[in-house]
Amino acid sequence: MLFPKPTSYYEQGFRRSPALERATAPFRVRNALTGAGIVVFCVSVYAYSIVAVRQDDFSDIQLPAHLIAEQKEAAAAAAAASAPSEQKSSASA
């Protein structure tokens, strides 16, 4: 018997054994604090990224010509769609 049979810390049905509870007890608080620290770090990096991108000004970036044309067409269509309703409301007043 060169290698001893490995013992399991799990009981029948994969429940945690009392030995596993005793073995992990000293590390519960430290593991919880480490996990909380990792979560706080990830949330803060995400929040910083969102704030940094939100305040960035993209006016110095040149848009392709086809996108500018599409934006102008959409603005003209929106203006044309709202113009008749404004004339009706002013005519009835």
Side-chain angles (χ1 to χ4, degrees):
M1 181 166 185
L2 188 56
F3 297 106
K5 180 181 176 193
T7 60
S8 176
Y9 279 116
Y10 292 95
E11 294 178 346
Q12 202 78 2
F14 297 107
R15 289 188 316 260
R16 294 169 57 100
S17 70
L20 181 59
E21 293 293 330
R22 285 190 309 274
T24 59
F27 305 106
R28 284 195 186 116
V29 173
R30 187 170 53 179
N31 287 345
L33 291 175
T34 302
I38 290 170
V39 168
V40 167
F41 174 75
C42 293
V43 169
S44 64
V45 167
Y46 176 77
Y48 173 78
S49 301
I50 295 299
V51 169
V53 169
R54 187 178 299 150
Q55 69 187 6
D56 197 4
D57 182 23
F58 295 105
S59 63
D60 59 336
I61 298 174
Q62 186 81 22
L63 288 177
H66 70 279
L67 290 178
I68 295 172
E70 288 176 7
Q71 287 179 350
K72 287 182 181 178
E73 290 171 4
S82 65
S85 63
E86 290 175 4
Q87 289 175 355
K88 289 179 186 176
S89 62
S90 63
S92 62

